[in-house]
Each structure stands twice: as C-alpha cells, then as structure tokens.
Amino acid sequence: VSQSRYIHYEINHNCSRVTKNNIHTNLSVLFNYAETRNHISQSPLKDIRKLKGGFKKPEIVKPEELDKLLKYCLKRNWRDRIAVFVLISFCGVRREEASKLDWSAINLKNRTVEIGDQIAKNWSYRTTTVSENAYAWLSEIKVDNCGFIELVVI
C-alpha cells in the first residue's frame, strides 16, 4: 500500500467522513505495528491526516412529524417500517439494531425488547422497555406463520 493508492481509495470510496477516519485509524494501527516489528520501514499513512469536519448535530423528529409518518406507513400497509420506526422512536433502539431485529425479540406481554449481542452496538446484550406509545403501535402488528409482520385487523 502506498500513499497514492490510499489517497485514491479515500477519494473514490463512497462512505462518510467518519467511516473514512475509522478506516484510517485501523490502517494506521496496523502499519505502525508493522513498522515497530521492522516489517516495513515506514507507515505509508505517516503524513496523511484524518479528514476534518465538524460534528453534525442530529436532527430531531417532531412528534407531529412522527405521527404523520407512522399514519402514512399504516395507510400504505408498510408494517415492517412501522415496527422499525416505533422501536427507534419510542424504545431507544438504534437504527442499525432495529433493522436487524427479529420479531421474536419483542415481548409485548412483558413490554421488553431484547437486543442480542450479535445485533447490539459493541456486542453487548441489552434489554429495553416498550413504552406506552410503542405498545399502542406494536400491539396492532403481529407475525404470521412465515415470520413476516402483518397488520391485525380489528
């Protein structure tokens, strides 16, 4: 790996600045280790700095916007999206976790969501509570015999 190849990769790799900086950190650790063991004379990333950029404040969805979104999904019969949006909005489940969760992780009787260590950030098992709002939305949804989410007709 040369500096020019790394720079070419960084410019042409379609990912966020944070991801590129994480890749830079990991490669730097690898090359610095190789340098200390005399496997290479100098890290090719030695003079390459991480990308600069400020922290972007996360956008907050207003309650009326979320209500509109969930009702739109309900109207379109997008039950899987309802479940994901509800878990994210009312249960404190991360976006990546919610998209990977199996319906069996949601226990409406005990009002809990179990996030297994294979799904959770930092590989750490955790349980979160299903709030009243989440319960109201999720109780409208059930799983059919194939494991797909379907709307309960009331």
Side-chain angles (χ1 to χ4, degrees), residues 6-151:
Y6 176 78
I7 291 170
H8 180 267
Y9 170 81
E10 189 175 82
I11 291 170
N12 294 307
H13 193 67
N14 188 21
C15 61
S16 73
R17 177 188 52 81
V18 172
T19 300
K20 288 179 181 181
N21 282 338
N22 287 339
I23 292 168
H24 182 279
T25 298
N26 292 333
L27 287 174
S28 291
V29 168
L30 173 70
F31 290 131
N32 288 339
Y33 176 79
E35 189 177 340
T36 61
R37 296 289 188 160
N38 294 322
H39 296 299
I40 60 175
S41 60
Q42 183 179 359
S43 169
L45 303 186
K46 182 175 178 158
D47 297 324
I48 299 176
R49 301 285 171 234
K50 289 184 177 183
L51 300 173
K52 298 216 184 241
F55 174 75
K56 182 181 175 187
K57 183 178 177 183
E59 295 181 27
I60 305 298
V61 177
K62 296 176 183 165
E64 57 272 9
E65 295 171 333
L66 180 61
D67 185 57
K68 185 177 178 181
L69 174 65
L70 291 172
K71 287 178 179 174
Y72 183 82
C73 290
L74 190 62
K75 182 179 175 183
R76 298 274 187 232
N77 217 16
W78 293 339
R79 293 165 239 102
D80 56 339
R81 294 176 191 178
I82 292 172
V84 169
F85 293 144
V86 165
L87 291 170
I88 293 168
S89 302
F90 300 122
C91 300
V93 177
R94 294 176 180 96
R95 181 181 63 224
E96 295 80 14
E97 295 169 341
S99 64
K100 295 176 187 174
L101 274 179
D102 186 88
W103 184 257
S104 64
I106 303 169
N107 185 331
L108 289 179
K109 183 178 178 183
N110 295 334
R111 295 188 182 211
T112 58
V113 179
E114 293 182 6
I115 303 164
D117 59 356
Q118 297 296 314
I119 294 172
K121 185 177 179 178
N122 299 326
W123 302 89
S124 177
Y125 172 87
R126 67 188 178 96
T127 302
T128 187
T129 306
V130 174
S131 69
E132 289 296 323
N133 289 336
Y135 182 82
W137 279 100
L138 293 174
S139 62
E140 299 270 330
I141 302 170
K142 72 169 192 168
V143 179
D144 67 13
N145 292 335
C146 298
F148 297 106
I149 297 172
E150 68 176 356
L151 188 63

